[in-house]
Amino acid sequence: MLNRRHIRIKVMQSMYAFKGTESDDLIKEQKFLLHSLDSMYDLYLSVVALLIELHKKSKDHNEKIKNKIVKSEADKNLSHKLQDNQLLHLISSNTILQEAISSSKLNFWHLDFEYVDIIFKDILKSDLYKFYTDEKETSFKKDKHFIIDVFTEIIAPNEKLYEFFEDKKLTWIDDLPVVNTAILRILRKLKLTSPETALLPELYKDEDDLEFAKELLQKTFLNNSKFAEEISKKTTNWDSERLASIDGVLLRMALCEFQKFSSIPYKVTINEYLEIAKEYSTPKSSLFINGILDKIVKEYQAENLYLKTGRGLM
């Protein structure tokens, strides 16, 4: 689920929050980072739990209309397609997923039911729902496409949900786009014959990504002053205030990758931190960072320092 860029963002947030020196508690900082990374899985389970609650809501909604004494024409022509949606049923009936949500104590939607109501009402009044219920033919493929469209157009961009998750845990607001993308990827791959574990992806692509997260924090942390001194020599406009800014953190992390991660190409490192700067720092930060990193790389290459290993690396 996690990609390298988001790992870098998490390390950046940990470094930015850290105000001490190399002599302070690295173990504490690493625990903070790993907890922040692990909490993404809680967010994933929370969003999937929302889909389960929406499925329950559709059943409750239909039951209430069924029990009405006086029914409108719309009530008489009530559609059960959302209740009978095969993808939602596949998710809701997944016992391993249910156990994971329950054991993590993340099924808080029964307390915050108003958010389920908001999303459910938005679905019912959408054109997507009208086209879906008007379609006579039913199939797992059509059911899946409908839920993917609902997730993409109604659930993922919902501002109230963003505010809700931000209130639950501040770091989740940065994690939500990554988690939503992961959920869409999983939904697209799901089949009726998919194993139950298909809905419980690994947080890290492989063990290397976990080690990358820990090493990037550790090596940036332990060489903080050294990297800051090297950066300050590359610009006459550098000051202590900017050194403490996100720009300073990103530059120190980039230098760490230059010097301590021989398998990561210079271009990859530069491009990654430029993209992060565009999202998290000032409008001019990417130009500023690019200028300094480009100057540093040219000096390294001219002096044959910190050579990159592997085919095609530079």
Side-chain angles (χ1 to χ4, degrees):
M1 184 176 358
L2 268 169
N3 56 53
R4 284 285 179 102
R5 181 174 298 171
H6 205 66
I7 289 173
R8 289 179 172 97
I9 289 169
K10 288 294 191 180
V11 173
M12 174 201 73
Q13 291 170 339
S14 297
M15 288 297 302
Y16 185 70
F18 171 68
K19 303 300 181 184
T21 66
E22 288 93 336
S23 62
D24 287 321
D25 193 354
L26 174 59
I27 295 175
K28 179 181 177 182
E29 297 306 317
Q30 186 167 289
K31 282 182 178 178
F32 176 84
L33 170 65
L34 295 178
H35 176 74
S36 180
L37 289 165
D38 290 343
S39 73
M40 282 188 65
Y41 210 86
D42 290 344
L43 177 59
Y44 168 81
L45 292 174
S46 299
V47 177
V48 176
L50 174 61
L51 292 176
I52 295 172
E53 289 304 314
L54 286 169
H55 192 210
K56 290 179 183 176
K57 179 72 179 178
S58 68
K59 296 175 183 178
D60 293 342
H61 173 76
N62 289 347
E63 191 64 27
K64 286 179 181 178
I65 291 178
K66 179 183 175 182
N67 292 329
K68 274 187 177 181
I69 297 174
V70 179
K71 296 182 176 65
S72 65
E73 282 303 310
D75 293 340
K76 292 176 183 177
N77 295 309
L78 178 67
S79 172
H80 287 76
K81 287 194 74 172
L82 185 56
Q83 175 181 334
D84 297 335
N85 185 281
Q86 295 176 75
L87 180 63
L88 287 182
H89 179 74
L90 188 70
I91 296 170
S92 298
S93 61
N94 189 310
T95 54
I96 298 178
L97 175 65
Q98 293 276 16
E99 287 171 7
I101 293 170
S102 178
S103 63
S104 300
K105 299 179 180 179
L106 292 167
N107 197 3
F108 38 65
W109 297 111
H110 64 287
L111 295 175
D112 299 296
F113 60 88
E114 66 270 22
Y115 292 94
V116 180
D117 290 345
I118 289 169
I119 298 296
F120 185 72
K121 288 175 183 177
D122 285 347
I123 293 171
L124 293 189
K125 66 184 181 184
S126 69
D127 289 336
L128 285 174
Y129 181 75
K130 183 180 185 306
F131 295 146
Y132 175 62
T133 53
D134 285 347
E135 176 67 55
K136 301 301 180 185
E137 182 186 347
T138 60
S139 67
F140 180 77
K141 183 178 179 180
K142 288 181 181 295
D143 284 354
K144 181 166 77 169
H145 284 169
F146 171 69
I147 297 303
I148 289 171
D149 288 342
V150 164
F151 192 87
T152 304
E153 298 182 27
I154 297 175
I155 298 175
N158 189 279
E159 291 185 7
K160 290 190 180 297
L161 271 184
Y162 263 76
E163 293 170 3
F164 170 77
F165 285 125
E166 186 176 25
D167 287 342
K168 282 289 180 183
K169 188 167 292 187
L170 188 60
T171 57
W172 276 1
I173 198 66
D174 291 318
D175 301 335
L176 196 54
V178 178
V179 168
N180 284 341
T181 300
I183 289 173
L184 282 173
R185 190 183 303 120
I186 290 166
L187 292 181
R188 290 187 181 108
K189 291 181 179 179
L190 278 180
K191 300 176 181 178
L192 278 172
T193 55
S194 295
E196 285 194 320
T197 52
L199 280 162
L200 290 170
E202 295 293 332
L203 179 60
Y204 299 96
K205 183 178 66 176
D206 51 39
E207 194 66 24
D208 288 345
D209 279 356
L210 174 57
E211 287 306 309
F212 172 71
K214 292 191 286 189
E215 286 185 24
L216 182 58
L217 176 71
Q218 180 186 45
K219 292 175 180 180
T220 305
F221 185 99
L222 293 176
N223 294 277
N224 209 21
S225 298
K226 174 192 169 187
F227 295 148
E229 184 179 352
E230 183 173 349
I231 293 163
S232 67
K233 293 176 181 178
K234 300 297 183 286
T235 173
T236 57
N237 297 322
W238 193 262
D239 56 40
S240 58
E241 184 177 337
R242 193 158 197 178
L243 182 61
S245 71
I246 287 178
D247 290 358
V249 173
L250 294 177
L251 283 168
R252 294 196 294 278
M253 289 172 62
L255 257 64
C256 182
E257 289 192 29
F258 287 170
Q259 298 182 18
K260 308 295 183 181
F261 294 83
S262 61
S263 64
I264 302 177
Y266 287 128
K267 286 184 178 179
V268 170
T269 294
I270 292 172
N271 289 338
E272 286 291 280
Y273 288 107
L274 291 183
E275 290 303 313
I276 294 171
K278 288 175 185 176
E279 185 174 355
Y280 287 91
S281 198
T282 66
K284 294 182 180 180
S285 289
S286 59
L287 293 173
F288 173 77
I289 289 172
N290 186 50
I292 294 177
L293 294 183
D294 185 61
K295 185 187 297 185
I296 290 172
V297 168
K298 286 177 180 176
E299 288 183 7
Y300 288 171
Q301 291 174 334
E303 299 173 20
N304 286 324
L305 294 172
Y306 309 114
L307 299 178
K308 297 295 181 176
T309 59
R311 184 176 297 176
L313 297 185
M314 60 174 290

